[in-house]
Amino acid sequence: CYEQQLFGQISNCEYAHDGEYVGITSTNQTVLLRLPYSEGSVWNDQSARQCHSIRFRKDDKMVVKTVDQRVVVRSTETNFERFVSGHTRSARDAIFLSNQTVVSGSDDTTVRMWDIISQTELSKGTIHRDYVRTLCPFEDGQFVSGSYDHTVQVWDGRKGLETPVIGFTADGPVEKVIYIPSHNMIGCSAADVVYLFDSRNSATPLFTVSNHTKAVTALAYSAQHDTLLTGSLDLRVNFVSLSGSEPTVVASKKHTSPVTALAVHPHGDEYCVGFSSGMYQSMKIELSAREDDSMGDASKARTHKERSEISTHKYLLAVRIALSRFRYQRALHTALLSKIDDVIVSTLEELMKRGALRVALANQNDRSIVSMLKFSTRFVSRPAYTNLCLAVIDVVLEIYAGSAANSPYLHRQFLRTQKTI
């Protein structure tokens, strides 16, 4: 569990697609943190301007923020920053449609599409009649907007924003929208109810979930658990399973402050929560206690195996993404974070194959190096992995032997490794 206090109410939190960062906005602060959290922040900005949202581009090299009436695009790697302005009231949410196109929703009731390179407005949607507070990506070139006029609209950015593709109606002001592709469903929260619509043609909701006593302000989805997370001003985060014939609440966690933001890590069991008090927390999704009560031993074993396979697949996917972008240190970080032997071995083998093992091991912190040495000494006696582990130990010693004396933690592990070898 990790926590950090920000200024004002947390308005949004979101993980990067490859799990390398998490972005957080509060009333007067925007933070981009590296993961794991011990890596610190990329930037931590405090401002008199109101910050409402932060979202990542698909390649995670850019974020788009809404700050007062501005839509700001900023690099996660360099000092690049641009903004567009045109909204007459606060811009509440913005997302990327493509590498250079973003859309934004505002309290001026409009949805606008922008070209970041030319910093010009491409199109404007005016069908909403009240605040537009939330957006989410849909299918290629399309997105969803939710408004206090009780409607949810689906737009196709390729055709402009004059007319939405399809619309849905809720029974209250829409605070949050979410698209769940595995179920072809669009979800929205309105008052204390969550509505789930068929994204293709349903005018009426497929399901309604009403397990909160106050407004639902945050939604997130865990693909690993096939579970929808709902956060509310009633201090609770509910976990709603979508794997059965109808949505079922399988767990609930009560906090000490109203919940205002939620996000789920794309490759693991971690989720994060933002509160009206300005507190940000990350924690593990724990549903096993509820599930195990109603399962036999065979079912428990099967479920554990299925979860292990899903977790392995998720981490391997994250490693492949990092490798494809030549982020070798990030690939190794992700593998170590998984604590799954198969993931670590396959990552090291791929780094060896690419001749990038030294690059990946350079500039690592003490904890990562100790984890690497522990893994190598544990597997070095296995013939299939001996050469790989010895190569890792050789590179680590070559890079860090001279500075090991400055860290008792690292020095102790060096001595243990030497004794084992």
Side-chain angles (χ1 to χ4, degrees), residues 21-32:
Y21 305 107
V22 61
I24 316 163
T25 58
S26 69
T27 307
N28 299 110
Q29 193 171 357
T30 306
V31 182
L32 183 65

Side-chain angles (χ1 to χ4, degrees), residues 319 322-333 346-364 372 388 391-392 395-396 399-400:
V319 168
L323 290 172
S324 69
R325 297 173 182 171
F326 307 104
R327 296 181 176 180
Y328 299 129
Q329 292 180 351
R330 172 50 50 185
L332 185 58
H333 258 307
S346 63
T347 302
L348 290 172
E349 288 176 342
E350 183 61 27
L351 289 169
M352 284 277 289
K353 203 178 296 181
R354 292 173 177 236
L357 184 61
R358 183 182 178 86
V359 175
L361 287 167
N363 298 316
Q364 297 282 4
M372 198 70 266
L388 175 65
V392 170
V395 174
V396 169
I399 298 174
Y400 297 99

